[in-house]
Amino acid sequence: MSHTFALGIGGAAGQGVATPGDIFALILSRRGLHVNAYNAYQSIIRGGHTFLTIRTGVDKVENLGDGIDLLLPLNQDTMDRHLRLLKAGGACIYNADTIKPGAAADGVQLCALPVSTLADISRNKVAQNTLALGAALSMMGVGFQSLESVLKAQFGKKGEAVVNENAGIARAGYEYATANFKPFAKPLPMTEKRYAVLSGNAALAMGGAAAGVKFYAAYPMSPSTGVLHWMAAHGRKAGIMVRQVEDEIGVVNYTIGAAHAGVRSMCATSGGGFALMSEGLGLSAMAEIPIVVIDCQRAGPSTGVPTKTEQGDLWQMLGAAFGDYPRVIAAPLDIGDCFTLMPEIFNVTDKFQCPGIVLCDLLLSEGRLSVDPELLNFNPPIDRGEMITSNGDAHDEYLRYKITESGVSPRAIPGIPGFTHTVSSDEHDENGVLISDEYTNAGKRRAMMEKRMRKVQGIEAMVPPPVLEGPPDADVTLIGWGSTDGTIREARALLAEQGITANQLQVRWLVPLHGDEIVRILGKAKHTIIVENNFSGQFARYLRSETSFVPNGNIRKYDGEPFMPHHIAEAVREQLAGETTLSVPTHEVMV
Amino acid sequence: MATINIAQPKPMVMADLKGKVDPDWCPGCGDFGVLAAVQKALVELQIPNHQVATVSGIGCSSNFPGFINTYGMHTLHGRSLPVASGLKLANHELTVLVTGGDGDGFGIGCGHFVHAMRRNINLTYMVLDNQIYGLTTGQTSPTSRIGMKTKSNPYGNCDTPVNPLTLALSSGATFVGRGFSGDQKHLTELIKQAIQHNGFSFLDIFSPCVTYNKDNTFQWFRPRVKKLEDNAEYDSTNWIVAMEKATVWGDEIPIGKFYETNDIPTLEETEPVLEAGPMISRDLYIPADVAKKFVEELM
């Protein structure tokens, strides 16, 4: 990992952490720098403690890293919790009127801002934030003009007076810092690149829009609500029908109804809402109506920790709805992948007329990442599979569930003359007639079950297996899935600095798993460790159930916070030293 | 993706609406009469069967879509309305009929029932109300009377029954009616009006269960049902009057159109996204200039 710079802004909810966060992110991305941001918060609208970390660098910043260089505490609580995280070379800018600095490590610069003398705090309640913003940018070596233009964009709607007032306060902070504080050793670089900064939820919504989604239904649930917010704000322009309905049972069934009409249709929720959708997944599978459901995992069980991350829903996805049916489950590897995965999974679910699940998590959903705008491709390949959308020539009796070698039966959408049929939740014959009542027939039941399950082979052929990244003869192979991708990669870099080579097998498509290929890859590994954000090793248990493979060790974390690279690197070292086979890193940053 | 709608060369007749199989309801079941009335209504209105979707939940009456030749959907218990709403919003050129029973609609699906009516989507929801759970062999339903003895309440039901009509009226349904399977002609007319109503129409249809409900039989209903249409002074545009009439129950049970308003626009009419036509007729890709703006917002 090349040089990065991380800043942390903390305060009570409602104190205005988000605005300086957005401003920093915009300045950094306009400077041609990559950004990765994550807001640790609680389920509270006012009060509590929120801590926003923004990490930036010239190269892609794949995770939040291990520490911060600059701390902006908006209250005493933040100072007390986070000052000790700063190392030599770091700095803390704080309001000298209201906050007392604590004991800092040697070489940490404590920058006291005389807020009430620099700004009229009776007029502007967030003056301390704006002053700190200006001071920080001065110390980071960013020209004031960048801040001014972003302030214009941020406050422009409120009128020139508001822009000027904020710019004036920011300038006072900027100039005070230039005169009184020592700038950081390395000024922030600048490149000619321009990035788009977005949350995983926005990426999922935009990816859906790019995939051709025309119907989106939702019930609000953290941390998935951002998908609804993007859809609601952009649906009219994008030509997407967006509906908030009564509950998640309604959501999944609206989604299925719209999909049956012939449009691409999706919904998003979190674990609790998904539980309510389970029966609907079965309907999608049985009636062979393709839908995509996004599950943004949060710490469970039950309502759990609504604002904290976890990878704890895997088995819920694997077991969602009763009975056997073909399904597709994929976990995006980062926020950019939240976008690119959507058209891919829709092409699979459309082709095989089955439900697809995108297994995201709070870390990605609510995190922010800079991506190359080229990656946000609104013209991806779209394959709707075998659909009958016009009546065409004369044909034999239409069989909606015709038994075919692939298991896929051409799907006529309602409205076409000559193709009337019934799709059914009960088991049915090829023509859609129920065989559940007086017509029960073991032979037909078996044939239909086998027809549907034959799709599994086709799905496997369409979806690529995971690929080993890094030196093939590494000392240790780290296995992860979904959102841990970037953190594991940086942990490998940390290990390399310490003389331990590591490679990585990151799983994106969970179903189909390609177990044979995974076992072939892992068979050559010297030491295997599965890394995941849950208590019981859900992926480890899944891999074992599918392949009998058991790794040498596991690294698990289930405290609600994501892994930091050093957590993984330290755990690998202790496991290679033979101290344990199960590491549960402690999250040192109290948020 | 454009749907090609070609008018059928010949007028649609009853035989065109016959399902792939005959109904497997018990001989004498009230549902036969409702099926025939729906088929007759569609023939009289000459709505081509390929432009009709019939969506049901689960239960005896929810096997309905399999017995009528339209685009049918047999969905989950209690979920017919959300599925039908999604279907209609994605292709609002279809005529969407929703069928199910009292357990399906007023029990497990009651939440959806209330919210569907609030939205005033142009659906026709027919509940084949037999005041009992039939397919599960005779348990108390949300419309079973107090004191009714069933397998699940052998000492008598003690829960106050749901009044589907007042519930519908208070939830915002723009057409509320009640029919009786034993009066075909009246029921057919009522269904025709409900289909033609632009907005959410709700019909509670007495459809006696001849096997498990020995209380609310054809014989029990026949002398009690009184047609609102026989009273020339009844004003079905007056919501208060409709609410009052909907509470009448006993020796006299009113049937017919209780309420209709055309003053409230449908969701389809007020949703700007539908101004450009049904969702299914849209380009898969969103316009390049729109997409470009979405990305620029992030920069």
Side-chain angles (χ1 to χ4, degrees):
Chain A
M1 187 86 204
S2 69
H3 179 72
T4 62
F5 181 89
L7 62 103
I9 312 171
Q15 259 198 311
V17 169
T19 308
D22 289 345
I23 292 172
F24 272 118
L26 203 52
I27 289 174
L28 296 169
S29 70
R30 286 185 178 179
R31 206 175 166 80
L33 297 177
H34 273 291
V35 175
N36 190 320
Y38 179 72
N39 191 20
Y41 70 112
Q42 292 94 37
S43 195
I44 189 167
I45 307 300
R46 290 277 183 274
H49 174 63
T50 76
F51 193 73
L52 174 71
T53 308
I54 303 174
R55 191 182 185 205
T56 186
V58 171
D59 299 323
K60 185 176 174 187
V61 184
E62 295 192 281
N63 69 90
L64 294 162
D66 288 309
I68 52 174
D69 301 287
L70 172 62
L71 174 67
L72 302 179
L74 304 184
N75 60 7
Q76 188 68 49
D77 185 34
T78 308
M79 176 67 97
D80 298 343
R81 286 170 187 262
H82 299 278
L83 182 63
R84 62 194 173 81
L85 298 176
L86 290 174
K87 297 196 181 92
C92 171
I93 304 173
Y94 63 98
N95 182 344
D97 302 341
T98 58
I99 299 171
K100 288 189 182 64
D106 286 347
V108 171
Q109 192 184 176
L110 289 170
C111 308
L113 274 178
V115 168
S116 55
T117 59
L118 293 174
D120 181 356
I121 51 168
S122 64
R123 267 177 59 83
N124 193 316
K125 297 267 184 302
V126 291
Q128 70 156 0
N129 304 4
T130 315
L131 285 167
L133 187 64
L137 289 166
S138 156
M139 294 168 72
M140 289 156 74
V142 176
F144 187 72
Q145 298 79 358
S146 330
L147 176 55
E148 212 169 17
S149 69
V150 171
L151 286 173
K152 263 183 201 148
Q154 191 85 12
F155 297 109
K157 278 185 192 152
K158 295 182 181 172
E160 204 178 333
V162 176
V163 173
N164 290 341
E165 183 183 333
N166 279 284
I169 297 170
R171 183 179 288 280
Y174 192 94
E175 285 171 355
Y176 187 84
T178 310
N180 297 285
F181 307 146
K182 194 164 71 122
F184 287 101
K186 289 185 189 170
L188 270 194
M190 203 191 281
T191 78
E192 292 304 307
K193 295 269 176 52
R194 287 298 172 267
Y195 299 109
V197 179
L198 75 170
S199 69
N201 280 337
L204 290 164
M206 293 171 80
V213 164
K214 299 293 168 223
F215 189 91
Y216 181 80
Y219 184 85
M221 184 171 188
S222 300
S224 69
T225 315
V227 184
L228 169 62
H229 289 174
W230 191 94
M231 282 291 185
H234 298 86
R236 287 186 187 178
K237 281 185 193 144
I240 299 171
M241 167 77 73
V242 182
R243 303 254 64 96
Q244 179 186 335
V245 303
E246 56 271 22
D247 55 34
E248 287 88 349
I249 301 176
V251 168
V252 73
N253 287 293
Y254 265 79
T255 307
I256 290 168
H260 181 60
V263 299
R264 279 193 167 174
S265 182
M266 75 172 197
C267 55
T269 185
S270 188
F274 189 91
L276 297 182
M277 293 185 180
S278 294
E279 197 183 18
L281 264 281
L283 173 60
S284 159
M286 188 57 142
E288 305 195 42
I289 300 168
I291 60 165
V292 172
V293 180
I294 297 165
D295 176 48
C296 304
Q297 299 167 94
R298 70 191 211 188
S302 193
T303 47
V305 197
T307 61
K308 296 296 168 189
T309 198
E310 200 161 272
Q311 292 181 303
D313 292 4
L314 176 57
W315 279 84
Q316 185 184 199
M317 302 303 126
L318 295 169
F322 42 90
D324 289 316
Y325 63 88
R327 78 189 82 193
V328 184
I329 306 176
L333 304 182
D334 67 17
I335 288 171
D337 197 32
C338 288
F339 184 98
T340 45
L341 179 60
M342 295 308 297
E344 289 180 43
I345 196 167
F346 264 108
N347 285 347
V348 181
T349 57
D350 263 1
K351 185 159 183 188
F352 293 97
Q353 300 174 12
C354 68
I357 297 167
V358 175
L359 195 45
C360 192
D361 55 28
L362 185 141
L363 174 64
L364 298 185
S365 276
E366 298 199 337
R368 299 273 193 290
L369 185 73
S370 54
V371 301
D372 187 332
E374 295 294 312
L375 182 136
L376 305 174
N377 174 17
F378 277 84
N379 206 21
I382 293 180
D383 178 2
R384 302 259 12 230
E386 294 181 62
M387 281 177 88
I388 299 167
T389 56
S390 71
N391 58 336
D393 301 327
H395 56 88
D396 298 336
E397 187 202 357
Y398 171 64
L399 299 176
R400 170 63 189 91
Y401 300 111
K402 190 177 167 62
I403 291 182
T404 60
E405 208 174 311
S406 66
V408 176
S409 324
R411 179 161 85 100
I413 65 166
I416 303 159
F419 287 88
T420 51
H421 63 276
T422 296
V423 292
S424 183
S425 169
D426 269 23
E427 188 60 283
H428 39 261
D429 201 350
E430 283 184 278
N431 60 4
V433 169
L434 308 194
I435 61 164
S436 50
D437 301 341
E438 63 174 309
Y439 315 108
T440 306
N441 178 317
K444 284 180 178 174
R445 158 67 177 174
R446 178 176 168 173
M448 290 312 293
M449 195 62 166
E450 290 174 353
K451 169 199 125 62
R452 282 189 298 272
M453 295 311 287
R454 271 201 296 279
K455 297 181 196 174
V456 169
Q457 282 109 56
I459 296 169
E460 259 181 10
M462 192 170 172
V463 168
V467 176
L468 188 72
E469 178 186 315
D473 59 344
D475 301 325
V476 61
T477 297
L478 298 173
I479 303 135
W481 60 280
S483 66
T484 53
D485 185 46
T487 312
I488 294 176
R489 191 167 296 114
E490 188 159 338
R492 287 167 45 216
L494 289 179
L495 286 166
E497 286 169 14
Q498 297 153 4
I500 297 167
T501 54
N503 56 24
Q504 175 177 2
L505 188 67
Q506 196 72 20
V507 177
R508 182 178 186 244
W509 293 95
L510 290 154
V511 177
L513 182 67
H514 287 292
D516 291 348
E517 175 64 6
I518 290 177
V519 168
R520 192 192 65 75
I521 292 169
L522 296 181
K524 296 178 189 163
K526 290 184 188 159
H527 191 101
T528 52
I529 299 175
I530 297 181
V531 182
E532 52 189 319
N533 233 176
N534 60 53
F535 180 88
S536 69
Q538 296 201 4
F539 179 77
R541 289 191 289 125
Y542 172 47
L543 185 62
R544 185 176 184 175
S545 76
E546 292 291 307
T547 65
S548 300
F549 180 85
V550 178
N552 297 104
N554 290 277
I555 304 174
R556 296 175 192 159
K557 197 162 179 290
Y558 41 86
D559 53 23
E561 297 299 334
F563 282 105
M564 294 164 90
H566 76 277
H567 292 145
I568 298 169
E570 284 164 16
V572 167
R573 281 206 308 276
E574 69 177 11
Q575 294 202 11
L576 289 181
E579 289 165 28
T580 182
T581 56
L582 172 64
S583 307
V584 182
T586 302
H587 202 82
E588 310 88 340
V589 188
M590 291 313 293
V591 285
Chain B
M1 181 174 53
T3 307
I4 301 171
N5 289 322
I6 299 168
Q8 291 191 336
K10 282 182 289 186
M12 190 171 70
V13 295
M14 286 295 274
D16 293 325
L17 288 171
K18 197 169 142 38
K20 291 193 169 79
V21 286
D22 291 330
D24 55 2
W25 293 315
C26 302
C29 174
D31 293 357
F32 284 101
V34 185
L35 175 63
V38 170
Q39 288 166 325
K40 217 175 287 175
L42 289 174
V43 168
E44 289 179 19
L45 295 172
Q46 282 296 305
I47 303 172
N49 59 346
H50 68 268
Q51 286 172 9
V52 178
T54 312
V55 184
S56 73
I58 293 294
C60 291
S61 52
S62 285
N63 288 345
F64 196 104
F67 308 138
I68 180 167
N69 183 21
T70 65
Y71 277 95
M73 285 187 93
H74 177 252
T75 74
L76 297 168
H77 195 29
R79 315 306 167 207
S80 59
L81 282 171
V83 173
S85 302
L87 175 70
K88 178 77 179 179
L89 292 175
N91 184 359
H92 65 277
E93 285 178 350
L94 296 172
T95 295
V96 180
L97 312 179
V98 191
T99 65
D102 38 308
D104 189 81
F106 312 142
I108 192 167
C110 195
H112 305 307
F113 177 52
V114 168
H115 291 282
M117 290 185 284
R118 286 173 55 218
R119 297 184 182 119
N120 199 30
I121 300 170
N122 189 7
L123 302 172
T124 302
Y125 182 36
M126 293 170 280
V127 173
L128 284 64
D129 188 350
N130 58 10
Q131 291 117 313
I132 194 89
Y133 281 75
L135 199 54
T136 49
T137 72
Q139 296 81 23
T140 306
S141 102
T143 49
S144 297
R145 67 168 175 84
I146 288 187
M148 183 169 166
K149 290 182 178 169
T150 69
K151 283 185 188 164
S152 57
N153 284 94
Y155 307 107
N157 170 40
C158 48
D159 296 350
T160 303
V162 164
N163 182 331
L165 300 190
T166 54
L167 183 57
L169 286 164
S170 57
S171 301
T174 52
F175 184 109
V176 175
R178 182 153 65 198
F180 174 41
S181 169
D183 190 337
Q184 273 284 303
K185 202 168 157 234
H186 177 259
L187 181 59
T188 305
E189 280 309 309
L190 193 62
I191 292 170
K192 276 166 67 182
Q193 289 180 57
I195 292 172
Q196 286 176 299
H197 171 72
N198 185 30
F200 191 97
S201 341
F202 167 64
L203 292 181
D204 188 33
I205 303 171
F206 297 137
S207 180
C209 173
V210 294
T211 305
Y212 294 109
N213 189 338
K214 304 301 181 195
D215 288 17
N216 310 103
T217 59
F218 278 104
Q219 295 73 17
W220 186 85
F221 278 114
R222 204 156 270 134
R224 288 178 169 82
V225 294
K226 297 278 182 303
K227 292 172 201 157
L228 291 170
E229 291 77 5
D230 290 345
N231 176 1
E233 279 169 26
Y234 182 77
D235 178 9
S236 63
T237 65
N238 188 322
W239 188 85
I240 301 280
V241 168
M243 271 303 249
E244 239 172 78
K245 205 70 181 168
T247 60
V248 175
W249 185 275
D251 292 340
E252 183 191 324
I253 301 175
I255 59 170
K257 182 170 82 173
F258 281 68
Y259 180 68
E260 181 174 15
T261 176
N262 292 301
D263 295 342
I264 299 167
T266 62
L267 178 59
E268 299 92 299
E269 287 164 342
T270 53
E271 171 56 62
V273 170
L274 291 181
E275 282 168 13
M279 300 311 295
I280 57 147
S281 63
R282 305 302 172 79
D283 284 342
L284 283 174
Y285 295 104
I286 61 178
D289 58 323
V290 174
K292 192 161 170 262
K293 281 197 187 118
F294 291 165
V295 176
E296 281 168 355
E297 271 176 28
L298 308 169
M299 299 183 70

